[in-house]
Amino acid sequence: KEKENEKEMIWYPYTRFGAAEPVVIREGYKEFLVNENGEKIIDAVSSWWTNVHGHSHPKIVRAVSDQIATLDHLLFSGFTHHPAQKLASMLLKLVPGRHAKVFYSDNGSTAVEVALKMSLQYWSNLIKPRKKILAFNGSYHGDTFGAMAVSERGSFTAPFRDKLFDVVFIDPPVKGKEKRSAENLEKILKDEPEAFASFIYEPLVMGTAGMKIYSAAALDPLLALAKKYGVLCIADEVMTGFGRTGKLFASEYMKSKPDIVCMSKGITGGVLPLGVTTATKDVYAAFASPDSDKTFYHGHSYTGNPISIAASVASTTMFMSDANVMKRITAIGKHHQQFKKTLLESYHDKLDDVRVQGTILAMDLKTKEGGYHFKGRDELYAYFISKGILLRPLGNVLYVMPPYCISEASLKKVYKAIINYLDTTFTVS
């Protein structure tokens, strides 16, 4: 009884009142979570898109254990440590574009906050202030106030709308709207050629918007336009980074590279919180001044935490030195493409769209009421939990985004459960 009361003391994120009791997990390994009854659950969404190598990966566990026994934490202003320096060097070799500086924070939202503040202060430091920011309709960049401001103004942000700064939103260049999106952006920039500090975007995949996918060929003209008018391009790679889209970073698909990149989630292998914002030499140059007013006054108590960074060094080392990691990413993408064909051939009457980008497979269930207001969402979630699979639908959007270590047998079990759901349970409403 005491344990039941303890569960009720927690205020869970993104969980409505009256939702089903949370599942208690006692351990995790590879692609599996194990509940308190010893039953295995396939983590087919990588625990909120973070866990890329599998749970409790021995290399990351060892790195964390060694680090905590050596140095747990220190203030990161006036001090530094070797893991932070090593990770910065590794990331700057991998991030698309010629980036020169790494700024550490705590999570995806803070990585975005840092990027937005950098972009605004960049212009302020140049004594050419630009106050406006561009973003995509339907985007999601986090839950802190700056991140909310550049995100979709919907039910997530409604209570805080009057506290959010103004942002100019344009339609993303999804299929059929590529030309309209580019024309809209060009008109906005022509009308106010020196008004916009930055353009923030989720490259190729808009996650929380319902796994909306658009092409590199459609995004490139928008980035080129932004650069033509001097607008700093901020790639929010919090979700798309570290292999999710088939390459290490989604920005690798584009010719135009971002000036600032935000990353988190998979950066530590999904083990510990860490946010990173990288910037080019040109961006940093606006802050490199003896004038103290041009200093970037931003930081967190746990900025540069050695334990989180040790996990990230171990995870990033696997991407850099283990060719099998990218092979597994490619293999998952091929399995998704094959399953996509099956869904399009046999279930087009129940699905509005099926799409794949790298390790991400998403499908829209045909429903009268879509988006986050789809009433069958909780039943959909519960159905897969009952089958020993964690899939966390975005309203009527069902998606699969597994850890890269997932076995073919586990992936087939996920696919089979989706087919069974479409055959036996789901009806078009």
Side-chain angles (χ1 to χ4, degrees):
K1 188 174 181 181
E2 186 178 344
K3 285 185 178 179
E4 289 300 311
N5 288 337
E6 286 173 355
K7 270 198 298 186
E8 292 177 5
M9 295 175 186
I10 301 171
W11 193 336
Y12 293 95
Y14 285 99
T15 302
R16 65 170 180 78
F17 178 78
E21 282 286 308
V23 179
V24 178
I25 299 298
R26 74 178 191 201
E27 64 176 305
Y29 67 96
K30 295 183 178 178
E31 71 266 38
F32 299 109
L33 299 169
V34 183
N35 69 17
E36 57 186 349
N37 298 320
E39 299 163 334
K40 291 193 296 187
I41 299 170
I42 297 171
D43 185 357
V45 295
S46 301
S47 285
W48 250 340
W49 321 342
T50 63
N51 193 273
V52 293
H53 302 296
H55 292 280
S56 302
H57 193 286
K59 289 184 178 179
I60 301 179
V61 169
R62 194 179 312 118
V64 168
S65 177
D66 290 346
Q67 184 58 52
I68 199 170
T70 306
L71 175 65
D72 52 359
H73 186 58
L74 85 163
L75 65 101
F76 205 63
S77 181
F79 290 88
T80 189
H81 51 82
H82 291 302
Q85 294 169 6
K86 184 175 182 178
L87 180 60
S89 176
M90 294 169 81
L91 291 175
L92 292 177
K93 289 172 185 172
L94 299 172
V95 174
R98 297 181 178 179
H99 285 219
K101 290 289 181 177
V102 170
F103 194 98
Y104 291 116
S105 62
D106 303 344
N107 56 64
S109 293
T110 58
V112 167
E113 294 283 334
V114 167
L116 294 172
K117 288 177 70 175
M118 274 182 186
S119 73
L120 290 166
Q121 189 175 339
Y122 168 84
W123 292 105
S124 176
N125 283 1
L126 294 178
I127 330 272
K128 299 176 183 176
R130 294 187 178 196
K131 303 291 188 181
K132 294 188 176 182
I133 293 173
L134 283 157
F136 282 142
N137 281 316
S139 57
Y140 172 82
H141 296 286
D143 292 332
T144 49
F145 271 83
M148 283 194 295
V150 293
S151 300
E152 172 74 4
R153 304 299 172 90
S155 54
F156 288 6
T157 60
F160 321 107
R161 193 163 298 178
D162 64 328
K163 305 290 187 240
L164 305 180
F165 58 77
D166 289 337
V167 173
V168 176
F169 291 97
I170 63 169
D171 287 337
V174 293
K175 193 174 181 180
K177 293 184 178 178
E178 298 94 337
K179 187 178 178 183
R180 187 195 310 174
S181 181
E183 289 175 347
N184 188 14
L185 178 59
E186 186 165 25
K187 183 180 184 307
I188 288 168
L189 293 175
K190 272 186 176 179
D191 287 347
E192 296 184 277
E194 296 181 353
F196 292 91
S198 57
F199 167 39
I200 186 167
Y201 57 95
E202 297 165 88
L204 302 190
V205 185
M206 298 173 68
T208 305
M211 297 298 162
K212 288 181 181 176
I213 294 173
Y214 57 92
S215 71
L219 179 58
D220 247 329
L222 303 186
L223 299 181
L225 269 171
K227 287 179 178 292
K228 178 182 173 182
Y229 287 90
V231 179
L232 296 177
C233 294
I234 303 172
D236 179 351
E237 294 253 17
V238 169
M239 184 270 280
T240 55
F242 300 96
R244 280 295 167 206
T245 64
K247 292 184 184 287
L248 194 59
F249 290 97
S251 294
E252 292 178 46
Y253 288 97
M254 273 69 72
K255 294 175 185 175
S256 291
K257 305 305 181 189
D259 302 289
I260 298 172
V261 173
C262 310
M263 57 193 90
S264 187
K265 292 195 181 290
I267 196 169
T268 65
V271 175
L272 286 164
L274 179 66
V276 163
T277 308
T278 64
T280 63
K281 186 177 180 180
D282 288 345
V283 170
Y284 181 71
F287 297 82
S289 168
D291 181 352
S292 62
D293 286 341
K294 293 188 177 181
T295 300
F296 188 54
Y297 290 110
H298 186 100
H300 303 266
S301 299
Y302 284 92
T303 290
N305 176 259
I307 305 167
S308 292
I309 288 176
S312 185
V313 169
S315 176
T316 307
T317 299
M318 282 189 266
F319 281 108
M320 295 177 78
S321 62
D322 186 352
N324 288 325
V325 175
M326 294 310 293
K327 284 180 181 176
R328 288 193 291 269
I329 288 169
T330 301
I332 291 169
K334 287 180 178 177
H335 286 306
H336 281 350
Q337 291 288 1
Q338 291 169 358
F339 186 52
K340 174 185 172 181
K341 287 180 183 177
T342 300
L343 293 173
L344 290 174
E345 287 169 3
S346 304
Y347 297 93
H348 55 85
D349 58 328
K350 293 189 174 184
L351 300 171
D352 277 328
D353 186 37
V354 183
R355 51 207 176 275
V356 171
Q357 178 67 57
T359 66
I360 304 167
L361 163 72
M363 63 204 78
D364 299 347
L365 301 174
K366 283 191 177 180
T367 58
K368 188 182 295 181
E369 192 175 33
Y372 282 90
H373 299 290
F374 171 52
K375 290 184 172 61
R377 182 264 171 208
D378 289 352
E379 289 75 18
L380 180 59
Y381 170 78
Y383 174 87
F384 288 103
I385 288 291
S386 73
K387 301 293 182 184
I389 299 167
L390 170 57
L391 290 178
R392 189 178 169 83
L394 299 163
N396 68 319
V397 178
L398 185 62
Y399 71 93
V400 181
M401 193 192 295
Y404 307 146
C405 67
I406 192 168
S407 68
E408 192 172 336
S410 289
L411 203 50
K412 284 182 176 177
K413 182 178 177 179
V414 174
Y415 294 159
K416 185 178 178 182
I418 291 171
I419 292 294
N420 191 61
Y421 172 76
L422 294 172
D423 280 338
T424 65
T425 306
F426 178 69
T427 54
V428 177
S429 60

